[in-house]
Amino acid sequence: MEATSVGGDRIIKRWDRCPGWDQLLDRADELVRRDTSRPGHNQRVHARGKNARIDFDASPQERFDYICPELRESLDEIEDESLQTCQLCGAPGEERPSHYYSTLCVEHRQATRSE
Protein backbone atom coordinates (compact mmCIF):
# COMPACT_ATOMS: atom_id res chain seq x y z
CA MET A 1 0.00 0.00 0.00
CA GLU A 2 1.47 3.27 -1.00
CA ALA A 3 0.55 6.81 -1.91
CA THR A 4 2.39 9.65 -3.53
CA SER A 5 2.19 13.40 -3.42
CA VAL A 6 0.74 13.57 -6.92
CA GLY A 7 -2.89 14.13 -7.82
CA GLY A 8 -6.13 15.51 -6.41
CA ASP A 9 -6.34 18.10 -3.69
CA ARG A 10 -4.39 15.93 -1.27
CA ILE A 11 -0.64 15.76 -1.39
CA ILE A 12 -0.48 12.48 0.50
CA LYS A 13 -3.33 10.10 -0.29
CA ARG A 14 -5.14 7.95 2.24
CA TRP A 15 -5.19 4.17 2.21
CA ASP A 16 -8.48 2.30 2.28
CA ARG A 17 -6.89 -0.49 4.32
CA CYS A 18 -5.62 1.87 7.07
CA PRO A 19 -8.38 4.38 7.92
CA GLY A 20 -7.03 4.71 11.47
CA TRP A 21 -3.98 6.50 10.12
CA ASP A 22 -6.01 9.17 8.27
CA GLN A 23 -5.35 11.80 10.96
CA LEU A 24 -1.61 11.13 10.81
CA LEU A 25 -1.63 11.36 7.01
CA ASP A 26 -3.66 14.58 7.21
CA ARG A 27 -0.99 16.09 9.48
CA ALA A 28 1.76 14.94 7.12
CA ASP A 29 -0.20 16.32 4.18
CA GLU A 30 -0.33 19.76 5.79
CA LEU A 31 3.38 19.71 6.68
CA VAL A 32 4.36 18.71 3.14
CA ARG A 33 1.99 21.29 1.64
CA ARG A 34 3.64 24.06 3.69
CA ASP A 35 7.16 22.83 2.90
CA THR A 36 6.66 22.42 -0.84
CA SER A 37 5.35 25.97 -1.09
CA ARG A 38 8.80 27.26 -0.08
CA PRO A 39 11.19 27.92 -2.96
CA GLY A 40 13.86 25.26 -3.45
CA HIS A 41 12.13 22.61 -1.37
CA ASN A 42 11.11 19.17 -2.57
CA GLN A 43 7.91 18.91 -4.56
CA ARG A 44 7.13 15.23 -4.00
CA VAL A 45 6.89 13.07 -0.91
CA HIS A 46 6.15 9.36 -1.06
CA ALA A 47 4.28 7.57 1.75
CA ARG A 48 3.79 3.86 2.16
CA GLY A 49 2.80 1.38 4.81
CA LYS A 50 5.85 -0.67 5.72
CA ASN A 51 6.48 -2.98 8.68
CA ALA A 52 3.38 -1.81 10.60
CA ARG A 53 4.13 1.90 10.24
CA ILE A 54 3.94 4.80 7.85
CA ASP A 55 7.16 5.36 5.93
CA PHE A 56 7.89 8.68 4.18
CA ASP A 57 10.56 9.34 1.59
CA ALA A 58 11.22 11.55 -1.40
CA SER A 59 9.38 10.21 -4.41
CA PRO A 60 11.50 7.64 -6.25
CA GLN A 61 10.85 9.45 -9.53
CA GLU A 62 12.66 12.48 -8.16
CA ARG A 63 15.99 10.86 -7.35
CA PHE A 64 17.76 14.19 -6.84
CA ASP A 65 15.00 15.43 -4.60
CA TYR A 66 15.28 15.20 -0.84
CA ILE A 67 13.23 15.93 2.22
CA CYS A 68 14.61 18.96 4.04
CA PRO A 69 15.81 18.30 7.62
CA GLU A 70 12.98 20.23 9.31
CA LEU A 71 10.28 18.36 7.39
CA ARG A 72 12.11 15.05 7.83
CA GLU A 73 12.10 15.51 11.62
CA SER A 74 8.34 16.17 11.65
CA LEU A 75 7.63 13.21 9.36
CA ASP A 76 9.83 10.98 11.56
CA GLU A 77 7.61 11.87 14.53
CA ILE A 78 4.51 10.87 12.54
CA GLU A 79 6.20 7.60 11.50
CA ASP A 80 6.92 6.84 15.18
CA GLU A 81 3.37 7.75 16.18
CA SER A 82 1.98 5.36 13.55
CA LEU A 83 3.65 2.48 15.44
CA GLN A 84 1.42 3.33 18.42
CA THR A 85 -1.81 4.02 16.48
CA CYS A 86 -4.26 1.33 15.36
CA GLN A 87 -4.27 1.44 11.58
CA LEU A 88 -7.96 0.42 11.54
CA CYS A 89 -9.53 2.82 14.05
CA GLY A 90 -6.89 5.31 15.28
CA ALA A 91 -7.03 4.13 18.92
CA PRO A 92 -3.80 3.48 20.82
CA GLY A 93 -2.22 0.32 19.47
CA GLU A 94 0.99 -1.58 19.09
CA GLU A 95 2.81 -3.57 16.46
CA ARG A 96 1.34 -7.04 15.99
CA PRO A 97 2.96 -9.75 13.92
CA SER A 98 0.47 -11.69 11.83
CA HIS A 99 0.58 -12.81 8.22
CA TYR A 100 2.03 -9.33 7.74
CA TYR A 101 2.98 -6.82 10.41
CA SER A 102 0.28 -4.40 11.47
CA THR A 103 -0.35 -1.92 14.26
CA LEU A 104 -3.60 -2.73 16.03
CA CYS A 105 -5.51 -1.87 19.19
CA VAL A 106 -6.60 -4.66 21.55
CA GLU A 107 -10.09 -4.83 20.01
CA HIS A 108 -8.86 -5.21 16.44
CA ARG A 109 -6.14 -7.63 17.47
CA GLN A 110 -8.78 -9.88 19.04
CA ALA A 111 -11.03 -9.55 15.97
CA THR A 112 -8.11 -10.51 13.70
CA ARG A 113 -7.40 -13.60 15.81
CA SER A 114 -11.00 -14.81 15.53
CA GLU A 115 -11.05 -14.56 11.72
Side-chain angles (χ1 to χ4, degrees):
M1 99 188 103
E2 50 185 62
T4 63
S5 61
V6 187
D9 59 344
R10 295 186 57 76
I11 292 177
I12 298 175
K13 297 178 186 177
R14 297 178 190 191
W15 302 306
D16 292 338
R17 294 177 58 194
C18 299
W21 285 346
D22 283 353
Q23 290 183 357
L24 299 175
L25 293 172
D26 287 344
R27 280 186 19 225
D29 188 74
E30 182 58 33
L31 291 166
V32 171
R33 189 177 304 282
R34 275 189 263 142
D35 185 70
T36 58
S37 68
R38 296 170 31 197
H41 285 250
N42 56 288
Q43 297 299 309
R44 297 178 190 268
V45 170
H46 181 78
R48 61 185 169 162
K50 181 179 179 184
N51 297 328
R53 71 181 182 104
I54 299 172
D55 183 54
F56 297 104
D57 206 344
S59 175
Q61 293 85 5
E62 303 293 321
R63 56 180 262 187
F64 298 111
D65 233 319
Y66 72 98
I67 297 177
C68 73
E70 299 86 11
L71 177 59
R72 175 80 264 166
E73 185 176 322
S74 296
L75 293 178
D76 284 347
E77 290 173 12
I78 293 172
E79 287 176 352
D80 291 344
E81 194 172 334
S82 71
L83 279 170
Q84 301 171 12
T85 304
C86 178
Q87 62 194 52
L88 298 177
C89 69
E94 57 186 63
E95 186 178 347
R96 306 285 184 193
S98 59
H99 62 282
Y100 67 95
Y101 282 87
S102 51
T103 301
L104 300 172
C105 63
V106 173
E107 180 181 332
H108 284 110
R109 185 184 91 184
Q110 291 171 347
T112 303
R113 282 185 182 169
S114 63
E115 291 177 359

